[in-house]
Amino acid sequence: MTFSDEDLMAYADGELDDTKRQQIQDAMSRDPEIARRVASHQALKDSLRAGFEPVLQEPVPDRLLTAARSKSGSSKSNVVPLRGHKVAVRPQSRWFALAASFALGALALQFGRTLLRSDSITERDGQLLAAGKLHAALSNQLVAAQTQDSAVQIGVSYLSRNGHYCRTFQMRELGGLACNEAGNWKLEVLARESHAANSEYRPAASNLPPAVVQAVTNTISGEPLDPKEEASARAQKWQK
Amino acid sequence: MPVVKDDLGEQIVQLLPRLRRFARSLVNNAQDADDLVQLAIERALSRSEQLRPDAQLSSWMFGILRNAWIDESRSRGRRSRVFVPEELGENVADPAASGEADALSVQDAMARLPSEQREVVGLVLVEGLSYKEAAEIIGVPVGTITSRLARGRDSLQAMLGALA
């Protein structure tokens, strides 16, 4: 009885029924060449598994954990990228940045028009900056001191990898991330909350839109500031 | 394994090591592989209603990841036709650099397989799925899986040298 290479391969992969498996086992005990071919299929399988096994031991990147734990997978649809690929939802992604910027460009136009009518946001040299009460809240408001009544709710404050102080905020139906550069709060990400429109409830800072959380994850250096560090950063006017 | 949808995110978290490994078998570059996993997570969460109650979550996720890979390879192919494919560009110099001119790493050898064979090898040999499961994920008959797997094995064997 002869066996095709596919039969031997299927044997090595545990894909054969009992009858055929027995036939091949018998053949292997009679014919060293068949035994050698089966062993070679098994060895290849073993070396492939061994080659990729270390991936299982790697720590899973935070951005993937964040993505899996975000409630909605459709957060991209209401996100405005404010500084091109530097602040796209996936700054580390090379493949997807282009597609994302096209998709978001159209939205930005419509969304941005509404925003620019607000006196809390201003535009300078193509960069959106916090103004009015948003600027004031980002500059002065400490999380420890804010109440649910504050028009702007500050979430986390942290030092970015680029050495700028950044703070997340929520204002009406918007969630965002702003970073201080030379006294201006540059808006890095703005996203519309999907669930806030019909709710009077102001969600806690931990309910920030996933895109904002993602941007924080991607830019944070170390841990968020604790209340003491936050107060001292304010005292230094958010300059490192 | 029945799936409780409320808990989908956490169940995906449990699968992340395997999803990352499968992605790495498709795409050699770790960063790109994780991009693929992230895209698959986003797609899965936005389509959770398509997950049948009796479906195996891992198979469903492998399928989404695999389709995301196909989509991305296509659009990347259109954009960068003039460039050397990334896998080749990265790997050409590797064997010499590693000092073993005749032995490719398993990862490099995988990256040189045609994508049709690579996905089957990834699902069956790396992830340990059955031919039937792989056939359902890729959407081809089991016989097609068998023949692609045989060709993939031959090429890998040739690239990696005699193993037995």
Side-chain angles (χ1 to χ4, degrees):
Chain A
M1 191 166 198
T2 60
F3 296 101
S4 72
D5 211 42
E6 289 186 5
D7 288 336
L8 300 184
M9 180 186 89
Y11 173 82
D13 293 338
E15 287 279 334
L16 295 182
D17 59 37
D18 288 346
T19 313
K20 198 125 191 209
R21 187 163 55 236
Q22 192 58 53
Q23 289 170 351
I24 290 187
Q25 270 165 6
D26 292 347
M28 281 165 67
S29 60
R30 281 194 314 268
D31 184 346
E33 172 59 16
I34 291 182
R36 191 200 62 78
R37 282 161 65 197
V38 169
S40 134
H41 285 311
Q42 275 161 344
L44 180 65
K45 189 171 185 167
D46 290 347
S47 58
L48 276 168
R49 280 190 81 86
F52 288 98
E53 186 76 18
V55 179
L56 294 181
Q57 311 306 325
E58 294 173 6
V60 173
D62 284 345
R63 64 180 175 121
L64 299 182
L65 296 171
T66 307
R69 288 177 171 143
S70 77
K71 281 290 172 215
S72 153
S74 58
S75 59
K76 275 182 296 183
S77 58
N78 55 12
V79 174
V80 179
L82 298 175
R83 280 202 287 181
H85 66 276
K86 280 172 78 179
V87 294
V89 184
R90 264 185 303 261
Q92 295 153 339
S93 159
R94 299 198 303 277
W95 299 6
F96 307 143
L98 186 65
S101 64
F102 280 136
L104 295 167
L107 271 167
L109 230 99
Q110 182 190 18
F111 192 7
R113 205 177 297 134
T114 323
L115 286 174
L116 286 172
R117 280 204 299 269
S118 146
D119 57 7
S120 290
I121 292 171
T122 182
E123 188 254 325
R124 195 183 306 158
D125 302 329
Q127 170 64 53
L128 292 183
L129 304 176
K133 64 185 175 193
L134 179 57
H135 178 87
L138 288 166
S139 300
N140 302 318
Q141 199 165 305
L142 296 180
V143 172
Q146 75 190 0
T147 67
Q148 288 291 308
D149 301 333
S150 311
V152 177
Q153 294 286 317
I154 302 293
V156 294
S157 305
Y158 64 91
L159 195 58
S160 78
R161 292 189 195 139
N162 298 333
H164 300 300
Y165 281 108
C166 300
R167 311 187 85 191
T168 67
F169 62 89
Q170 283 177 284
M171 182 177 59
R172 295 193 302 274
E173 79 283 12
L174 295 177
L177 173 67
C179 294
N180 194 302
E181 292 182 31
N184 291 316
W185 288 100
K186 294 191 172 181
L187 298 178
E188 303 285 353
V189 176
L190 269 181
R192 208 196 296 262
E193 281 175 42
S194 46
H195 57 274
N198 50 8
S199 166
E200 284 300 301
Y201 172 63
R202 291 276 140 262
S206 56
N207 290 345
L208 280 167
V212 177
V213 175
Q214 185 69 59
V216 172
T217 309
N218 289 332
T219 56
I220 193 168
S221 134
E223 297 289 314
L225 305 185
D226 63 27
K228 212 174 137 192
E229 293 167 330
E230 194 187 23
S232 107
R234 180 179 71 169
Q236 298 163 45
K237 299 192 180 306
W238 307 98
Q239 301 304 307
K240 185 62 186 159
Chain B
M1 181 179 65
V3 169
V4 183
K5 282 185 186 176
D6 291 346
D7 198 24
L8 183 60
E10 283 306 315
Q11 295 191 40
I12 291 176
V13 166
Q14 298 302 311
L15 279 176
L16 283 175
R18 285 189 70 197
L19 290 171
R20 293 185 71 235
R21 180 173 63 177
F22 177 48
R24 202 77 68 85
S25 72
L26 299 175
V27 179
N28 202 1
N29 178 291
Q31 187 72 58
D32 290 344
D34 280 338
D35 284 350
L36 209 50
V37 175
Q38 183 160 352
L39 185 62
I41 295 168
E42 286 166 3
R43 287 189 180 182
L45 291 178
S46 68
R47 296 173 192 176
S48 56
E49 74 284 352
Q50 293 173 13
L51 177 58
R52 295 193 316 274
D54 59 333
Q56 183 99 357
L57 181 64
S58 55
S59 292
W60 188 64
M61 288 300 301
F62 282 138
I64 291 176
L65 201 157
R66 179 260 177 188
N67 289 338
W69 171 61
I70 302 272
D71 294 346
E72 289 304 323
S73 319
R74 279 197 194 122
S75 62
R76 199 163 57 137
R78 275 197 297 274
R79 284 204 302 274
S80 59
R81 208 165 287 157
V82 291
F83 299 109
V84 179
E86 184 179 293
E87 286 86 351
L88 293 178
E90 280 180 1
N91 295 326
V92 163
D94 276 356
S98 70
E100 296 175 49
D102 56 350
L104 283 175
S105 74
V106 166
Q107 288 80 2
D108 291 340
M110 272 292 269
R112 292 180 182 204
L113 283 187
S115 47
E116 278 185 356
Q117 295 169 25
R118 204 187 314 164
E119 63 187 9
V120 178
V121 171
L123 288 172
V124 175
L125 299 188
V126 178
E127 290 307 321
L129 268 56
S130 69
Y131 294 2
K132 184 164 171 285
E133 287 171 308
E136 280 163 12
I137 286 170
I138 296 174
V140 295
V142 170
T144 309
I145 295 293
T146 312
S147 59
R148 287 181 187 172
L149 192 54
R151 276 180 284 142
R153 269 188 152 112
D154 283 346
S155 311
L156 288 170
Q157 200 81 268
M159 285 188 273
L160 295 170
L163 290 159

